[in-house]
Amino acid sequence: MTGAHVDVSRSRDANDAGDRAGRPRLRWFPTLLFALTVGVWLAPSLSGQRTLAAVDMLELGAPYRDAIGRPPHVASPINTDQAEMLAAPAAYFRELRQPDWQLWDNNVAGGTPTGIFAFNGLFSPFSVPYLVFPPWYAIGVKAALSFLFCQWFMYLFLRRLGAGVVPATIGSVAYTFTGANLVLLHRMSAPLVLPAALWAVDRLVDRPSLRRVLPVTVFLAWCWYEGFPSGFVYSAYLTAAWGAWLLLRRGWRDRHDGSAAIRGAVKPGLFLGLAGAWACALAAMTVIPLASELVWRGILEGREAGIDTHLSHIQFFGIFDTWAVGRYPSGGPWWTGSNPVESVTHVGMIASLGVFLAIVGVIVRRLPLNERASDAFAFFCFVATSGIFLTFVGTRLLGLVYRLPGFTDNPISRSRFVIGLSAAVISTLALDAWWKGRTFAREGSSRYGPAVVGSFLLFALVAYLGLSRAGEYVMEARAVGQFRFVARGILLGLLLAVVCVGLAAVARSRVRFRFAAGAAIIGLLYVQLWYPLRHFTPQAPVDDYYSIQPGHRALQRLLDGRFRFAASGLFNFYPNSAQVFGEQDLRGQALHSLEFKHLVSAAEPTAFSRDPLKIIMPKDEWNVVSPILDDLSVRYFALGTDDVPYGIEYGDPPPIDSWSSRPLPAEARTVRAPGPVSGLLVPLKAGQCKGRVTVSVTAHGRTRSASRPAFDARGDWMSFAMVAEDLRAGDPAVVDVAASDPSCALETGASRSKLALRLLGPDPALPLKVVSTEQAWIYERVNALPLVRSHAVWKTFPDQKTLLPHALLRPPSELNEALLVEPAPDPKPGARPARIGPVDWDGDRIEFSTDGPDETLVVVAQNGDRGWTATVDGAPRRVLLAHGVLMGIMVPGGSHRVELRYRPASHRAGTAISAVALAALVASAVVTGLRSRRNGRRSTATKAFPEGAGPPQPPLQP
């Protein structure tokens, strides 16, 4: 075929299964199957009984651990990112409904941009349910829309490649529910939009026109707005490669007519370039601010990816069976290396066997592929080979790939969804060709076309990895006692695959059973792909979805909008949950600037050692008296009730010589306080208790109490923090122990017929004061400075590196001296700081009044950013950097109104570009739509009245 290209959408084979049986195509078949596959999975969340999120992990820490009254039930303990990332949409769309476009969130990570980034899919069309439904329900609706969209466009893409209804439906399910897509749910959704982009590119290359540019533009921009940039990067590269491959194959077929080859490639190539540029313009609203922030914050300076940044070789076997690399989330160890979020590559044995039979059939020239299918088959063989090689092998080629624009430190393993996509396309085209029995199209005089070459490369790579790593894999499996389990899993998967081959064989010979066989294959695919990972993103209790607890309210009262808090470990007052509750947390997942990292790391060198994107503060590692935490306004520090309170024990632990379920007499529970009491430990044990155990101390007519979950009573010392530091040595106090559940068989330990107690007093080295025991042990750091404060004294340093040692070693008496890294006028001797009026803090805007006789430096203790501007009584003021990263404003003496606003120039520029691109897109859609309708009417008229003929004339009247 030279110079003529047929629109596949019009010339698609009509010999589908239903057509061959003399029946019309059943368009309800894919619709019904897609609805069933998503509906069965999401039934609990779509019915409102559960929420589709790993927020059950919040049960592991305060305040939820104390609120639920039972041991934590965590289905997927590795999915910490979900519990952090799902707070942002809840907060963002709550503000958007007011309406307020939130650009900055001051409640997490010392203050961080939000609405100028696309990390959390805030601008995804799938996120529209957040505007209508409660957040805990919207996430299930969003997932349903995402997976239905992916299934439908994968189906349409396979149909464009010539596949029949049933094979295309099977292939769409095979890709949609691959392990990478299920595991990366709520993180990387661009792969679910990728089939739509491939479908649109295919249409554009077939018949290039402005009208067909628009879908490519929309779907590419959509991939970006799904969040998680690496998903967009890998999807965009694959989409571009698909377009280039189609143009290459078109040029190859037209190679004997040079002018036709050029004409056939130039126009679609230009349109593809236009679509890519247009998509970038549509995405500029968040692309430009992100690029600006990455450069300004120095994120790209820490490039670490290289030739060894890939998955373990033996995780290659996880392609065939997800349990081949570990039984997660329950039933056994994850024993092959990287955590499941970053390593699940499950394609399944059914699709894998389909690919094997397909490539062998092509190699031996026994699989009849038409020209169109042959091109797609070859392309996805090359993609699968590249995906497997880069994900599991690496070599220096991987180092070069990481140098491509957009890759930076995005692990190449996140592109492993292309393996599942390729497997679905290859096996679908093979099944369709086998069922239809078409003739293999020889490509010119060459015996080895691209399909044969791609098949051979894929076969050789899989054989090499399988044979070379099998011995190591078996040894590793035996070492952890998993070999028999893995062998059973692989054999079961292979059995299901053989059953599917049998069903396909029956459907080939008996066409009327094709729909039934297809439905059965889809059911087995669903069992093999979804069932092992059904709890990876759990259907968690609705109450776990950031429901406010008494512990939150107690913390909010203490913070009063004037201070910041931090908590021990990862789960206590979970990082990023402060976005929902409006509690300013030092922690939180974010892109921290290098200066902020340096500041926090000066207080604790291990702050970012466990996770470069968030601060984790183990109780016994952190220097809670660091003056840098005072500068950061960390007034409160929260421990979980399962943490041992801060304090020094009075005396030695008494021996436990008896246990009693009966209340001890008052004299057995009376103690003489050796001094101030900040905590105590009581030996307790109970059976299957629900509710709480409460310990009370009564002295001088006042009772202080603290509670813990009853399931903590396991026959050992249980610790309780206590707000009883006003006790003096020798003061009598009565200790009571009670359970909230009347049926609880609570037993207390005794020593010499008295209640066994260990009393804790304040630690002089830690100036911390217990201020709340409401579902947590909350301590006050009395020296912490307010979030907005004024300084009459300041000192300048040449850079942050010089400033930090001084900041770290300052005594409390010098905390009122601000530290700057920028030139500033000398402070006036004897000057007094200004009084700060009520602070109106609304994320993107901070407003307050000052009143004082002298010029002062007002410091706002949050991350400085180039997007912040300041005015004093409406006049612009320069924003200085205190401690190298906090915001400072010089305010003259007198009464003034100070306002800070976050409006980054990069966001304004990006929004303007996106607005123009969107207007052009809408205008183009309207124009092309009107032109299409006009051409349609003209075509109808031409068909009704052929050339030279007019409308029928009425008969002549006599």
Side-chain angles (χ1 to χ4, degrees):
M1 184 168 60
T2 304
H5 301 282
V6 180
D7 183 6
V8 176
S9 64
R10 298 190 179 187
S11 65
R12 190 184 296 121
D13 251 331
N15 296 323
D16 282 304
D19 296 333
R20 285 191 173 189
R23 293 173 294 176
R25 271 181 280 180
L26 300 178
R27 295 194 177 276
W28 56 261
F29 182 75
T31 304
L32 176 63
L33 266 298
F34 297 161
L36 283 175
T37 53
V38 173
V40 170
W41 171 34
L42 298 179
S45 60
L46 294 181
S47 64
Q49 299 172 358
R50 312 279 279 181
T51 183
L52 185 69
V55 290
D56 54 353
M57 283 186 291
L58 273 64
E59 295 183 2
L60 295 172
Y64 299 97
R65 185 176 181 277
D66 296 71
I68 56 179
R70 56 167 172 76
H73 297 162
V74 179
S76 182
I78 197 67
N79 243 334
T80 57
D81 284 344
Q82 280 192 17
E84 290 147 16
M85 296 180 70
L86 290 174
Y92 178 81
F93 284 98
R94 178 189 62 206
E95 298 297 318
L96 191 60
R97 285 193 293 266
Q98 292 186 3
D100 178 24
W101 188 350
Q102 184 188 45
L103 301 181
W104 182 273
D105 196 321
N106 58 303
N107 293 310
V108 294
T112 185
T114 52
I116 68 171
F117 290 163
F119 283 138
N120 297 302
L122 301 178
F123 307 106
S124 164
F126 297 141
S127 294
V128 171
Y130 280 99
L131 287 172
V132 182
F133 303 113
W136 62 266
Y137 185 73
I139 58 174
V141 179
K142 178 181 179 180
L145 293 175
S146 303
F147 278 78
L148 286 172
F149 181 91
C150 181
Q151 285 179 304
W152 256 110
F153 273 97
M154 188 66 186
Y155 168 81
L156 293 177
F157 178 56
L158 292 170
R159 293 284 285 152
R160 279 201 64 81
L161 299 181
V165 170
V166 177
T169 306
I170 294 172
S172 64
V173 173
Y175 169 63
T176 302
F177 292 96
T178 52
N181 289 342
L182 291 176
V183 165
L184 292 173
L185 178 66
H186 301 323
R187 294 180 77 208
M188 198 170 79
S189 301
L192 301 178
V193 182
L194 175 61
L198 298 176
W199 169 82
V201 167
D202 193 89
R203 293 177 72 249
L204 176 59
V205 173
D206 269 339
R207 290 179 59 191
S209 66
L210 180 60
R211 184 180 183 183
R212 296 194 171 196
V213 165
L214 304 183
V216 179
T217 301
V218 169
F219 291 135
L220 279 177
W222 191 335
C223 283
W224 169 259
Y225 283 120
E226 281 303 304
F228 224 68
S230 57
F232 165 76
V233 169
Y234 302 137
S235 298
Y237 271 102
L238 184 60
T239 303
W242 173 240
W245 174 256
L246 293 177
L247 293 178
L248 178 64
R249 295 304 297 156
R250 168 175 285 194
W252 175 258
R253 294 192 177 95
D254 292 343
R255 64 189 181 278
H256 301 298
D257 185 346
S259 60
I262 293 175
R263 288 196 305 272
V266 169
K267 185 176 181 180
L270 290 175
F271 274 130
L272 283 173
L274 172 63
W278 206 342
C280 290
L282 278 178
M285 181 175 69
T286 56
V287 168
I288 292 178
L290 175 62
S292 175
E293 290 290 321
L294 290 176
V295 173
W296 178 73
R297 292 172 181 262
I299 305 298
L300 301 182
E301 297 177 12
R303 183 191 295 268
E304 298 176 357
I307 62 175
D308 297 323
T309 313
H310 58 81
L311 296 182
S312 167
H313 300 307
I314 62 174
Q315 286 192 319
F316 160 77
F317 296 95
I319 291 177
F320 311 108
D321 189 272
T322 187
W323 284 347
V325 290
R327 286 183 280 178
Y328 186 86
S330 62
W334 189 267
W335 50 274
T336 56
S338 182
N339 73 70
V341 174
E342 298 292 357
S343 61
V344 167
T345 320
H346 186 212
V347 171
M349 195 65 75
I350 297 173
S352 298
L353 181 59
V355 171
F356 173 77
L357 295 176
I359 60 178
V360 170
V362 170
I363 291 174
V364 300
R365 310 282 287 184
R366 295 297 182 188
L367 185 68
L369 292 173
N370 66 8
E371 185 177 80
R372 180 74 169 179
S374 177
D375 286 349
F377 194 98
F379 176 80
F380 284 100
C381 280
F382 295 139
V383 170
T385 303
S386 303
I388 293 173
F389 185 83
L390 294 176
T391 300
F392 300 105
V393 180
T395 73
R396 292 191 178 278
L397 177 62
L398 182 56
L400 296 176
V401 171
Y402 274 122
R403 293 291 172 182
L404 292 174
F407 277 61
T408 61
D409 274 340
N410 292 320
I412 196 70
S413 60
R414 290 179 188 158
S415 69
R416 64 192 185 277
F417 64 87
V418 303
I419 301 173
L421 175 67
S422 302
V425 174
I426 293 169
S427 56
T428 297
L429 294 178
L431 176 64
D432 182 74
W434 187 49
W435 276 359
K436 292 177 179 177
R438 294 179 299 207
T439 303
F440 187 92
R442 292 179 178 273
E443 302 184 14
S445 59
S446 173
R447 183 181 178 187
Y448 300 103
V452 178
V453 175
S455 298
F456 179 79
L457 290 175
L458 180 57
F459 180 85
L461 177 61
V462 171
Y464 163 74
L465 286 174
L467 295 175
S468 64
R469 305 300 175 189
E472 178 187 358
Y473 176 76
V474 171
M475 290 178 60
E476 290 279 353
R478 290 187 184 278
V480 295
Q482 297 293 301
F483 179 73
R484 289 187 178 181
F485 173 82
V486 168
R488 285 199 305 268
I490 291 178
L491 288 175
L492 178 60
L494 185 59
L495 176 62
L496 293 180
V498 171
V499 171
C500 288
V501 172
L503 290 169
V506 171
R508 185 173 190 261
S509 59
R510 301 192 178 189
V511 177
R512 68 180 57 206
F513 294 128
R514 198 161 288 182
F515 283 95
I521 293 172
I522 287 173
L524 294 176
L525 267 173
Y526 194 57
V527 168
Q528 190 171 89
L529 294 175
W530 166 78
Y531 190 79
L533 293 169
R534 66 193 183 282
H535 294 315
F536 198 97
T537 294
Q539 306 270 0
V542 173
D543 287 343
D544 283 350
Y545 194 83
Y546 309 108
S547 56
I548 192 164
Q549 302 295 331
H552 291 124
R553 296 190 181 95
L555 187 58
Q556 289 170 348
R557 287 193 298 269
L558 292 169
L559 296 173
D560 193 31
R562 301 177 59 239
F563 296 99
R564 183 174 283 127
F565 84 100
S568 65
L570 175 61
F571 301 105
N572 292 325
F573 291 93
Y574 208 95
N576 284 89
S577 63
Q579 292 177 291
V580 179
F581 303 115
E583 305 157 344
Q584 294 219 19
D585 191 352
L586 176 66
R587 308 161 306 150
Q589 190 180 62
L591 287 180
H592 301 90
S593 67
L594 291 180
E595 291 78 10
F596 183 77
K597 283 191 171 184
H598 293 157
L599 182 62
V600 177
S601 297
E604 176 47 54
T606 64
F608 294 95
S609 62
R610 293 171 176 83
D611 192 321
L613 297 179
K614 59 177 175 279
I615 301 167
I616 299 178
M617 307 180 71
K619 167 184 177 280
D620 296 323
E621 291 184 17
W622 270 75
N623 179 15
V624 294
V625 300
S626 171
I628 289 180
L629 296 183
D630 296 322
D631 294 320
L632 289 168
S633 303
V634 181
R635 180 83 171 194
Y636 300 97
F637 193 81
L639 303 181
T641 56
D642 56 335
D643 282 323
V644 177
Y646 286 113
I648 296 178
E649 187 170 352
Y650 291 115
D652 297 325
I656 304 173
D657 51 35
S658 64
W659 292 87
S660 175
S661 59
R662 296 180 179 179
L664 295 175
E667 60 270 15
R669 296 180 282 108
T670 301
V671 295
R672 295 271 177 190
V677 176
S678 60
L680 51 82
L681 290 82
V682 186
L684 299 172
K685 62 180 177 180
Q688 298 297 321
C689 269
K690 296 182 179 180
R692 302 180 307 280
V693 174
T694 301
V695 172
S696 302
V697 175
T698 302
H700 305 304
R702 180 183 175 190
T703 300
R704 299 90 163 173
S705 63
S707 298
R708 283 185 63 174
F711 58 76
D712 283 337
R714 301 186 184 96
D716 204 346
W717 294 94
M718 286 182 68
S719 58
F720 296 82
M722 195 61 61
V723 187
E725 295 186 359
D726 57 341
L727 291 180
R728 299 291 181 264
D731 286 350
V734 179
V735 179
D736 289 301
V737 181
S740 62
D741 181 2
S743 63
C744 182
L746 184 65
E747 296 183 63
T748 56
S751 177
R752 300 184 183 90
S753 301
K754 293 179 68 69
L755 180 65
L757 287 175
R758 294 164 59 184
L759 300 178
L760 302 177
D763 187 345
L766 301 175
L768 300 173
K769 178 183 178 183
V770 182
V771 290
S772 175
T773 60
E774 184 68 73
Q775 299 180 332
W777 315 142
I778 302 177
Y779 291 84
E780 184 178 23
R781 304 177 63 262
V782 295
N783 292 324
L785 300 172
L787 285 162
V788 180
R789 69 263 186 165
S790 66
H791 298 268
V793 181
W794 54 87
K795 184 180 294 185
T796 59
F797 294 82
D799 51 46
Q800 191 188 46
K801 185 177 180 180
T802 309
L803 178 151
L804 290 179
H806 177 81
L808 189 62
L809 300 176
R810 285 179 302 164
S813 60
E814 296 182 9
L815 279 178
N816 286 324
E817 181 182 62
L819 308 179
L820 299 173
V821 294
E822 296 187 49
D826 293 333
K828 177 182 176 182
R832 291 174 295 172
R835 184 181 64 83
I836 304 294
V839 180
D840 182 7
W841 198 315
D842 187 24
D844 308 343
R845 180 183 58 84
I846 306 171
E847 191 171 354
F848 54 89
S849 61
T850 64
D851 186 11
D854 306 304
E855 183 179 44
T856 58
L857 172 66
V858 177
V859 172
V860 179
Q862 74 165 356
N863 273 308
D865 191 283
R866 291 180 300 174
W868 283 98
T869 59
T871 60
V872 177
D873 297 331
R877 284 278 177 165
R878 182 185 174 195
V879 178
L880 306 175
L881 291 180
H883 287 75
V885 67
L886 309 181
M887 297 191 299
I889 309 98
M890 299 299 303
V891 180
S895 298
H896 303 283
R897 193 69 183 168
V898 181
E899 185 177 15
L900 293 96
R901 284 191 173 273
Y902 183 68
R903 294 291 183 271
S906 59
H907 181 257
R908 294 197 301 270
T911 302
I913 293 172
S914 292
V916 172
L918 180 61
L921 185 78
V922 173
S924 299
V926 171
V927 170
T928 56
L930 292 175
R931 184 179 300 169
S932 176
R933 290 179 61 186
R934 187 163 52 248
N935 292 338
R937 287 195 298 268
R938 185 178 302 163
S939 175
T940 302
T942 303
K943 290 179 181 178
F945 310 116
E947 186 175 357
Q953 300 295 325
L956 295 174
Q957 298 293 328

